[in-house]
Amino acid sequence: MFETLPSQIGAAFVVIVCGFAFLKGDEPERFWAGAYILGWFASLLIQASDSILTALSLFAIDVVMLLLLVGLVWKARRTWPAWAAGCQLIVVMSHIVAFTELQSTAAAVVVVISMAGYGVLVALAIGTFWAWQERVAAGLE
């Protein structure tokens, strides 16, 4: 799972951003950080094998994550969930491209999914920073 340096850096990024969201974020940021961590752990557990069932399971997790983000876009009065949902939609569409076996390589699909996943985390980090700064400006923290 974490044998390579890029996977260790990615894991550290996930932990740092989600920890920042738990410490300094409001309810939407904390909710998404918790959902992201659960989805991330579920994905790590599923990736142990290489089969079509694994691919479908990862796709299902990403669809659930997209639905959670769409719910956040609808309920939370923030802009970051819309950006995160856009990145998550790219992840879901990349799974669909991989299933259709169009002329895309597996490496290209993995890169797109990884980069879009970082986009979701960057949106969360920026949204958490804005929520934190709004509380500081209001004198609540």
Side-chain angles (χ1 to χ4, degrees):
M1 280 185 226
F2 302 113
E3 297 88 21
T4 64
L5 183 62
S7 65
Q8 294 169 357
I9 291 171
F13 188 64
V14 168
V15 170
I16 289 168
V17 169
C18 290
F20 178 58
F22 279 126
L23 291 175
K24 297 295 182 181
D26 288 335
E27 185 179 344
E29 290 82 14
R30 289 180 183 150
F31 170 79
W32 179 246
Y36 194 91
I37 289 287
L38 288 175
W40 182 57
F41 278 133
S43 296
L44 289 176
L45 292 174
I46 290 171
Q47 289 179 6
S49 66
D50 189 29
S51 66
I52 189 65
L53 185 60
T54 301
L56 288 173
S57 300
L58 292 172
F59 175 68
I61 289 171
D62 284 332
V63 168
V64 168
M65 301 299 275
L66 177 62
L67 293 174
L68 289 174
L69 277 170
V70 168
L72 270 179
V73 168
W74 186 28
K75 291 291 184 181
R77 295 193 175 272
R78 310 219 191 260
T79 56
W80 73 264
W83 290 97
C87 291
Q88 189 65 28
L89 183 60
I90 291 171
V91 170
V92 170
M93 294 306 293
S94 296
H95 283 292
I96 292 171
V97 166
F99 290 145
T100 59
E101 295 180 6
L102 294 175
Q103 301 224 349
S104 64
T105 63
V109 172
V110 169
V111 167
V112 169
I113 289 173
S114 298
M115 296 311 292
Y118 285 121
V120 172
L121 284 173
V122 167
L124 174 62
I126 291 171
T128 301
F129 180 76
W130 285 344
W132 176 37
Q133 292 305 303
E134 287 173 2
R135 282 196 317 277
V136 169
L140 301 174
E141 190 169 303

